Amino acid sequence: MAIMIRQESQEEYQKTEELVKQAFSNAEFSDQKEHELVHRMRASDAFIPELSLVAVDNEIIGHIMLSKIKIVNDDRAVDSLALAPVSVSPNHQKKGIGSSLITHTLRKAKELGYQSVIVLGHQDYYPKFGFKPASLWNIKSPFEVPDEVFMAMELTKDALKNTQGVVQYSQAFFE
């Protein structure tokens, strides 16, 4: 299977949202509304088209999105990215497509000059990409989640060294 990873085009938005909906249809920790989040994110100022990527094998079989967030502490705000969601069509899951999307997108984010990424995800999956508990930098989630599932990653050395605070997601995450 020759999978190509590339930037999603506007003409593919509806098809991608359907894929996201299918990908999370049986997910254990899901409200089955991730496709609505993707739709809202595209209309927000947090959307980065260059970091909304698809995996293609004759058709779209995967999608990933990184969006702008801030880590806020008193009057200081540091720019970062949120990784959410990562979607792979049900009949293509467990084949490394999600890993390829994550690796490719993190590399692209670094090339674009972004310094760090935050993810709320499985504690046994994301560390293999370099994610560590965000609490190591005293970075906190704006909502109650177990420490081990709220993670951060430095894309450049010491990017989070003097950073701490609460992650401020786009309003699109809360609508």
Side-chain angles (χ1 to χ4, degrees), residues 1-5 54-62 92 97:
M1 172 162 46
I3 297 170
M4 178 175 57
I5 296 176
V54 289
V56 181
D57 178 33
N58 295 326
E59 62 181 352
I60 296 173
I61 58 172
H92 289 90
I97 296 165

Side-chain angles (χ1 to χ4, degrees), residues 6-174:
R6 60 167 172 75
Q7 183 175 331
E8 171 191 40
S9 69
Q10 284 186 352
E11 297 78 36
E12 296 169 322
Y13 285 2
Q14 187 174 358
K15 194 176 290 187
T16 302
E17 288 171 28
E18 184 57 36
L19 165 92
V20 174
K21 185 176 183 179
Q22 291 172 9
F24 285 93
S25 62
N26 294 316
E28 184 179 356
F29 299 106
S30 169
D31 62 3
Q32 276 74 46
K33 294 183 180 181
E34 287 81 2
H35 63 291
E36 294 174 15
L37 170 63
V38 169
H39 183 81
R40 290 191 308 268
M41 287 303 300
R42 290 194 190 108
S44 79
D45 59 359
F47 181 58
I48 308 165
E50 299 85 356
L51 296 176
S52 183
L53 305 180
V54 289
V56 181
D57 178 33
N58 295 326
E59 62 181 352
I60 296 173
I61 58 172
H63 174 259
I64 189 169
M65 181 181 280
L66 292 176
S67 58
K68 297 175 191 173
I69 59 170
K70 293 192 179 299
I71 302 167
V72 180
N73 185 28
D74 296 327
D75 59 349
R76 182 170 183 252
V78 174
D79 292 329
S80 188
L81 296 171
L83 191 164
V86 179
S87 311
V88 176
S89 70
N91 53 346
H92 289 90
Q93 292 176 1
K94 308 276 190 232
K95 297 179 181 178
I97 296 165
S99 292
S100 294
L101 281 164
I102 293 168
T103 301
H104 192 94
T105 307
L106 293 174
R107 186 173 57 246
K108 180 78 173 165
K110 185 175 180 175
E111 288 171 8
L112 292 172
Y114 291 97
Q115 304 286 307
S116 63
V117 181
I118 303 292
V119 68
L120 174 61
H122 200 282
Q123 73 266 16
D124 295 331
Y125 183 70
Y126 288 94
K128 70 181 178 181
F129 303 102
F131 285 93
K132 299 175 183 170
S135 60
L136 293 174
W137 294 277
N138 202 20
I139 297 170
K140 296 175 177 34
S141 170
F143 31 80
E144 199 66 38
V145 294
D147 187 55
E148 63 273 6
V149 301
F150 191 69
M151 294 171 265
M153 177 183 182
E154 295 175 315
L155 295 176
T156 57
K157 185 172 172 30
D158 295 330
L160 296 172
K161 185 176 182 181
N162 296 311
T163 302
Q164 62 178 359
V166 177
V167 170
Q168 186 177 62
Y169 289 95
S170 163
Q171 188 57 38
F173 275 88
F174 302 101

